[in-house]
Every structure is written in structure tokens, then in C-alpha cells.
Amino acid sequence: MNKIVVRTFAYFIIGMLLSLCNVKVIAQESGNFIKPIKPIEKQTSIQRHQVNLGKVLFEDVNLSENKQMACISCHLPEKGYADGLPFSKDNAGKDKVYNTPSISYSIYNYHVSWTGKFKSLEEHLDFLITNKTLMNRKWPSLIAQLKGNSEYQSLFTLAGYNEISKSTVIDAIIKFEANLAKPSRFDLYLLGDKTKLNSAEIAGFNLFKSAGCVSCHQGTNLGGNLRQKFGVIKPYFPEQKINTRDLGYFNSSGKDEDINFFRVPSLRNVAKTAPYFHDASAPTLEKAIQVMFTYQLGIDASEEDIESIKAFLATLDAIE
Amino acid sequence: MTLKRFIKNSLVVTCLVFPLIWLYMDSELGMSRRAHEVDMLLLNVIQVDTELTEHVLRTRSQLTLHYDDISSSQKRLHNLLSKFPMSIINNSTALKEQLSAIAELSLKTQNSLDKFKSINSQVSQRQRYIKYLAEEIEKTSSSTTSVINEVNQVVTEVFNARIFGYQISESDVNNYNERLLNVAKDDNQETQLLVEKFLIHFQELSLLANKETIIVSNILEHKLRNQSLKIRKELLASHYKELLNSKDIQRYLIVYAGFLLILILFFVLNRRHLKRYASKHKQHSERDELTQLYNRRVFLKKLESIIHRQSGALLFIDLDGFKRINDQLGHNVGDETLQMVASKLKNVIELNESSHIFAEVFRLGGDEFVVLIENIDRTYSTDCLKDFASSAVKECAFNLTSPNDEYFLSVSVGIAQFPECGKDIAELLNCADKAMYESKQRGRSCYTFYHEINQ
């Protein structure tokens, strides 16, 4: 009899605990679905040696055919891992088609590159290294070269890779890129520290939400997870004179419905990565904000609105 | 170790070994690696498909305001198929075709998801823009409230359609167009321009919303999941065929069947042994070994069971002159004599039994026998008993001749009726005993009723 009572009590306690957990989960969920932007939390487990190896690879000019180009030549740390130029340079020093995007938060992107034709960083890295106008390398020769280098051998061993291969090289570089994603002031604000943003910046955030920027620039990365037409309300590109690059995703898919569709870029670090848009048509942030207001939202924005949004966007810069 | 214990132990061992064999078969042979990998892939695809639909529905009903969940599921789907080790299935073309069908379907799903995301965000953008335009019209409109009312009605309709998930049909859109243009005719130039703009965007919005609904319904068809389930079914069927044909499984089936046979054999043996054992013991405990009559214990039991319910009588039979036979001719002759008397008594019962009477003879011990007579239908008469007793006396009176001497054997019978002589067994037996002594005193080889002594 006594045993039964004790057992029932134990079951009751367990049940109560389980229901508490449920309540906690529900509370977390309900917190999530009204938030258009998810904060980045500080990474807890960093594989230091892998990141270090990735950094070495990222900065090594020997990865390119002509030994003059590394990843870092277009993605400069001081420019927010973009290059500050209207268009990226190829290995002969000529302009390429698109503006160099920042890679500091690329780990959170689903679509990679301006048109979003790559679905993962792995594919994109493979493309960049084997592309004739960029690094122009063949994987076998590159692997052989890395294997011949005793420094790399020790670095790979230290990082815990048991071989030097295409997948491990790519993995190391991606680990380095993932490590670049640092939380910003805005993330701290979202995580609960309300003192991190001043009133002007909060007003900017509210305008960002109410004006409708947030319908595309949402999620962890404030963009990067969908394609959208450039010029939803008003057509942005003049119809008589349209460049091939302005066709966007149409270039890869060949479907009419994809004309002018671009990957929505992330807004993190945006203040550091001028000029803006795929064709660098906006030299300053103000101009970019104004273009977005007119063509994507159909609103004639005032000076104050633009300033307010700009103040908010500045809070998205990574803090060291 | 007795046989029983041995059987018990071997049963336990077999019961333990069986599941082990089964488990081994299930884990080692039940799934070849290839089938297992493909199966896991399909299961994962099914899971992702379910997850995706959930995210899409959530996004559509605006429970989440971001597309990260959809994107992460998309990424998972992409990774699942791109990282699947295709080298495993190189030799099976049918499977390859099916998997490529899955890959194609997943590509389609990915595309429609991409489209869903952009259309969904466009719809919310345009909704906001239409509301903005409505506010502008409200500001510029000269005086008539009818334009503002009409515009607001359209806005409400748009938002309702989104929230409750219905489509605004083309005719409805045209209706709104006409009415609004009619109403706005008299308004100022600026408002008219705004209204035209408003109508264009309204039309586009309704088109987009309809497209979104179509895409969502496409996603809800679960093509990926259905295809995966189909393949899994086929895979399972072919897999079992393969298993049955494989040599390993045949060997294990034989081993398994052998164990099963052994188990059944043990079971049958055990059962037979127990049955024989039980019947032997029963006989030992109920029968008298010498005469094969029921013994004292059975007699008491039987008497107890009927004494309160029925009427009847006890015939207490004692042999006269048995002691002399036993002493002088030896135990062997004595035993034979007893057996003879027993068979004679059985004959007597057979002769005198009728539909009214049921009788049985017991050996109480030594040279004492008891015949228990039950009166079945209560048409009881002492004549019956008298016949019974007299035939018993007649039958059992005989001579034994030996070379030296002649021995005369007879029986004395005492009769006690119940319930007339009491309902207690001891009392009843006592009465019968007394009656028997009375007949001995009367000169042996006769019978006496107990109630006769009392008189």
C-alpha cells in the first residue's frame, strides 16, 4: 500500500516536471514566432586550430594559379570582408561583373552569391577556386601542393583532419568564415540588454519594421534566405538599356519569372561595405536606403526616415 | 538430477537462446547495408518533407515572420541528397532510377519553396503598400467619403483573404475596379491617379496571392513523401525476397526450426511424463493393492459426500474363519481368499444392482469389507437390502479343501441404514459394526439389521 502511494507520488512529480518543460518550450516558441529577426549568440565552442588553418588558407596566395591572388585580396578584413570597390577584380586585374559581397556573415546565408545560384558555401568555394578568371586551380594539383608543404601538414594534423583533401580544405575555410560572424550591438539588444541601443536607433528599428523592410530583410542574417525581385513596386532597371547582370537569377535558371530576381543580401556589417547593390549603383548607404524605399516599398522617404534607418543599420556592425 | 528438473532447465535455456538467435538474425542479416542506407535516406526525406510543410503553413499564416526555418530545411534536404553515397547502389539500376526521381522531385520542391518565399514576402510588401496608398487617398481625396469607404473595403478584403486563406476571384477584382472608378470619377486629378495606381497594385496583389495559394497547395500534395513511401514499400518487398533467397538466412532458418522442434519435443515429453506420474499416484492412493477395490479413504470420502444428501445403507461384511485359513494355510492362500471374496462381492453387486440402487464395495482393511448402497430415486425398501445381504451371504459361503483339513468360510453382515441410524459417519460405522457382531452371535453366515437389535 505504502509502495503504491510513493510510486504514484513519484509519477505525479515526474509528470509535473515534464509539463513544466513543455511550458518552457511553448514559451520559447511563442517568443520566436513574432520576432522577425533572430539574434546571433556568441559562439561557445570554437575549434581554434581549424579556424587558424582556415585563416592561413584564406590568406595564402599560393592557392591561385598566378600566385598573386588569395581569398583575402577581395575580402578585406578592414572593409567588412568586402573590397570597397565597385566591382571585384579578376586575376588579370580587370573588373568582373558583380560587386564583391561581404562574407563575414555568409555562414548564415542560405543562398550564396548575388543571384543565389549556389545553395551552399562548399559549392561556392569549389566554384571560386576552380574558376578560370579567379584562382584557376585544379583540385589535384592544389592538394598535391598542400601535401608537399610540411607546414600545412602539421597544421592539418593539428586541426584534427586525418587527410589533406578537397573536402578538408573547404571545411577549414568555412570554419574560418563561420568564426567571422560576431554578434553586434543589435543582437545584444534583442537578447535582452535594452541599454545597448539609444532611442534614435530604436526608432530606426521600429521604422524598419513598420515600413516593410523587414518582409525581406528578416531572419538571423537580415536577409540571405530568399530571392526577391529588384523593383517590386516600381521597376528599377530601365527597360531600353538592360545589362545581362541585371537579369539576376534568370541567367542561371533561364525562366522568365526569375528576371531581376536577386538574393536578398544580409544587412549585417552593411555600414562598412560601401558601395552597394550588385552593380555598385549606390555609392553611399543613404542612397541605397533611398533606392530601397522607392523601388521596393514605393514610399517617398523623407531625410529623417533615411537617417533613422541608417542609425539602426549602424548598430548591426560586429563588435569585436 | 531428476528428469523433471532436467526438462525444466532445458526449457529455460531454450527460452533464453531463442530471442538471442532472433536478435542476431534481425541485426546482422535483417538489413543489408545498402538497403539500410537507402531506407535511412528515404526516412529522412519524409521527415524533411513533413517539416517543410509545417514551416510553410506557419509562414503562410504569419506565425513566423522569417524564412530561416524553411531555408534550414531546404539546406537539410539538399545536403541529404548531395551527400548520399551513390557508390553503394551502383549495381542496382532500378534503385538508381528511383533515387534520381527523388532528386528531381526535391529540386522541384526546392524551386517552389524559393518561389513561395519570394512571393510570400512580395505579398506582404504589397499589402503594406496598398494600405499606404489607401492612406494617401484618404489625405488627398476632396470631400466624398464614398471613395475612402470603397478603398478601405478593398484593403479589408485583401487582409481578410490573407488571414482566412481564401482567394479573391477575378470577377471580384473587376467588380471592385468598376465601382471604385465610378466613385472616383468626380474626385480631383491627384486622387484619380492614386486610385488608378491603387487598382493596378490591388490586381497584382490578388494575382500574387492566388499564385501563393497554388504553390502552397502544390507543396501540401507531399509528392516527395509519397514517392519516398512508395520506394520504401518496393524496397522492403524486394529486400525480403532477397533475404529469403540468401544462403545465410536459410541456414539460420534451419537452426531456428531445429530449436523449435527441440522445444516442442521437450514440451510433449514433459506432458506425457507428468500425465503418467499423476495417474499412477492416483491409483496408489485410491486402490487397495491386493484386491484392487477402493480403500478406506475413498470410502470415507464417498460416504461423507452422500450421507447428508441421500439415503442408503451400509453393509458391513466380516469374514468368518479367515484367521484360521490365514494361520494354517499361509498368507498366500489368505490373500487369494481375500481376492476371491472381493470378486464374489463384485458379482453380487452386479447381480443386485438396479435402476433404484447404486452399490459399491470397499475394503476397509484386514478381512473387513463394506458395501455402500445409495438409494437413487428414494423408492427404498428393506426387501431390496435383504435380497442384497442374503445373496452376499450365499455367494460368500464356500469350502476350501486342503489335503489335511477342510476349511469353511462364510461372511457375517451387519446392515445400518442412513439417515435412520444417524448422520454421523463414526456413529453409522459403529452401528453397522454392532449389527455385524449381532449376526456373528446369531451363528454366523447371516445378516442383521441394526434396528432389529434395538427392538
Side-chain angles (χ1 to χ4, degrees), chain A residues 29 33 35-36 38 109-111 123 210-212 215-216 218-220 225 227-228 232-233 257 261 296-298, chain B residues 58 63-69 71 74-75 78 110-111 114-115 117-118 121-122 124-126 128-129 132 201:
Chain A
E29 287 234 329
F33 63 65
K35 275 183 196 159
K38 282 201 275 186
N109 282 344
Y110 171 63
H111 295 291
E123 284 173 37
S210 63
S215 59
C216 287
Q218 35 58 45
T220 316
N225 50 15
R227 285 192 204 95
Q228 189 54 283
V232 173
I233 306 293
E257 56 200 19
F261 268 69
Q296 298 299 100
L297 302 173
Chain B
R58 266 180 169 231
L63 283 172
T64 47
L65 295 179
H66 55 75
Y67 308 117
D68 277 7
D69 295 335
S71 298
Q74 270 179 289
K75 210 176 221 168
H78 179 74
Q110 296 262 19
N111 282 340
D114 281 348
K115 209 159 285 161
K117 283 190 291 189
S118 66
S121 97
Q122 271 194 46
S124 35
Q125 238 159 301
R126 273 177 199 277
R128 214 173 262 122
Y129 186 58
Y132 169 77
H201 284 289

Side-chain angles (χ1 to χ4, degrees), chain B residues 347-364:
Chain B
N347 281 342
V348 170
I349 287 170
E350 268 175 37
L351 282 174
N352 285 286
E353 226 171 7
S354 66
S355 56
H356 314 296
I357 290 174
F358 176 76
E360 213 165 351
V361 57
F362 303 88
R363 186 183 170 213
L364 291 191

Side-chain angles (χ1 to χ4, degrees), chain A residues 27-46:
Chain A
Q28 278 175 357
E29 287 234 329
S30 62
N32 273 344
F33 63 65
I34 31 172
K35 275 183 196 159
I37 299 167
K38 282 201 275 186
I40 300 176
E41 290 181 45
K42 208 159 196 174
Q43 284 163 325
T44 45
S45 65
I46 302 166

Side-chain angles (χ1 to χ4, degrees), chain A residues 2 71-72 81 87 101 249-250 255 292 304 307:
Chain A
N2 207 5
C71 308
I72 202 170
Y81 289 91
F87 298 103
Y249 189 54
F250 172 80
K255 286 181 192 158
M292 281 289 124
E304 297 93 64
E307 279 304 314

Side-chain angles (χ1 to χ4, degrees), chain A residues 136-196:
Chain A
N136 194 15
R137 285 306 292 264
K138 299 265 186 311
W139 278 109
S141 74
L142 176 58
I143 299 301
Q145 182 196 325
L146 291 180
K147 274 182 181 165
N149 190 333
S150 62
E151 201 181 321
Y152 271 119
Q153 280 172 5
S154 62
L155 275 174
F156 271 89
T157 317
L158 209 57
Y161 296 117
N162 45 20
E163 56 165 1
I164 299 180
S165 68
K166 178 180 164 182
S167 60
T168 52
V169 169
I170 287 180
D171 191 63
I173 297 178
I174 288 174
K175 286 272 156 57
F176 168 70
E177 286 180 11
N179 192 40
L180 296 176
K182 300 276 191 320
S184 64
R185 260 194 310 136
F186 181 64
D187 290 315
L188 299 180
Y189 169 77
L190 282 185
L191 285 172
D193 191 351
K194 301 295 177 198
T195 59
K196 289 288 172 185

